[in-house]
Amino acid sequence: MTVVCLDLEGVLVPEIWIAFAEKTGLEELKRTTREEPDYHKLMNYRMDILRREGLGLKDIQDTISQIRPLEGAKDFLDELRGMCQVIILSDTFEEFAKPLMRQLGWPTIFSNSLLVDDDGMLKDIVMRAEDGKRRAIEALSSIGFRTFAAGDSYNDLSMIRKADAGCLFRAPKNILEENPDLRIFDDYPSFLDYIKENLR
Ligand SMILES: [Mg+2]
């Protein structure tokens, strides 16, 4: 039995931080895991900017409430969930993910969480586990599941490599060039077909 593990941002929903950067006009917040492989470094960079600008969790959540899943994502996910078990493995935070999960029909998601101070400012991130995506794949394998993983960023590569099968979806050029052996798909129908081929 195969469990399909999918990244969230860039695969099913837009990049949350890019949407937030556009709303606030803070171009510096457009840096994502697509450019910066070190997630702690990236989050410290983002939290420094938020502190400097006096922006808290509420401001980010207001933006997220206006984000919609990528076009076709809900139908793709519904069809996939009718065929196999699906888990979204995301490095985002449960405080951010909830409004998006509602729109996707409450799929299962394993993510991280945030520490927020009394003023509502982001204080720190609480990672469930280091390299949590890869470790989720290892844990699923250890209880007898075959795994398929897909994502678009640096932080997805270790889970894709560890899974029994996997691919990239709408990954940027640099990731593609550095991983020429991985298949990539840019639309949901061909992505779904490839996953189907790999279910057994
Ligand atoms: Mg992503």
Side-chain angles (χ1 to χ4, degrees):
M1 184 183 178
T2 304
V3 176
V4 173
C5 297
L6 299 176
D7 174 39
L8 177 65
E9 291 172 69
V11 175
L12 298 170
V13 306
E15 291 282 346
I16 293 169
W17 288 95
I18 288 180
F20 187 63
E22 274 162 8
K23 201 189 169 213
T24 55
L26 295 166
E27 285 291 314
E28 311 146 272
L29 287 177
K30 286 194 175 167
R31 197 167 172 76
T32 70
T33 48
R34 287 168 161 222
E35 293 89 24
E36 173 55 69
D38 184 331
Y39 193 62
H40 284 276
K41 207 169 139 189
L42 179 64
M43 279 308 300
N44 283 329
Y45 166 84
R46 286 166 169 168
M47 287 190 288
D48 283 346
I49 297 169
L50 294 176
R51 220 168 290 128
R52 189 194 73 205
E53 299 293 326
L55 294 166
L57 178 60
K58 175 79 173 48
D59 302 294
I60 302 171
Q61 284 175 328
D62 284 350
T63 301
I64 296 172
S65 68
Q66 297 166 25
I67 299 177
R68 299 290 168 260
L70 295 172
E71 202 187 331
K74 171 78 163 60
D75 290 342
F76 158 79
L77 190 59
D78 284 347
E79 197 172 341
L80 185 60
R81 287 172 76 194
M83 298 187 301
C84 61
Q85 296 300 312
V86 180
I87 301 175
I88 298 172
L89 299 181
S90 176
D91 279 337
T92 193
F93 309 99
E94 52 194 25
E95 292 84 350
F96 291 2
K98 216 170 172 180
L100 296 165
M101 293 305 102
R102 179 182 301 117
Q103 298 181 63
L104 289 171
W106 300 112
T108 300
I109 180 169
F110 296 169
S111 62
N112 298 302
S113 56
L114 289 168
L115 270 184
V116 177
D117 69 16
D118 293 341
D119 299 324
M121 302 299 286
L122 271 59
K123 211 166 125 190
D124 209 352
I125 59 173
V126 184
M127 303 294 282
R128 191 185 70 256
E130 286 305 320
D131 206 356
K133 295 186 185 217
R134 175 183 55 83
R135 288 176 61 186
I137 296 284
E138 287 171 346
L140 289 165
S141 299
S142 78
I143 51 171
F145 289 107
R146 197 174 164 277
T147 51
F148 182 99
D152 70 333
S153 295
Y154 280 112
N155 62 339
D156 300 309
L157 292 173
S158 64
M159 75 163 174
I160 294 172
R161 297 280 176 204
K162 185 54 80 174
D164 295 294
C167 65
L168 295 167
F169 183 73
R170 294 183 185 168
K173 215 170 144 228
N174 54 327
I175 291 185
L176 205 57
E177 282 168 1
E178 289 162 25
N179 298 274
D181 59 315
L182 293 179
R183 295 283 305 271
I184 179 163
F185 297 93
D186 289 305
D187 63 88
Y188 291 117
S190 59
F191 185 28
L192 190 65
D193 282 345
Y194 187 67
I195 297 173
K196 270 187 207 165
E197 281 171 32
N198 279 280
L199 292 179
R200 51 173 149 91

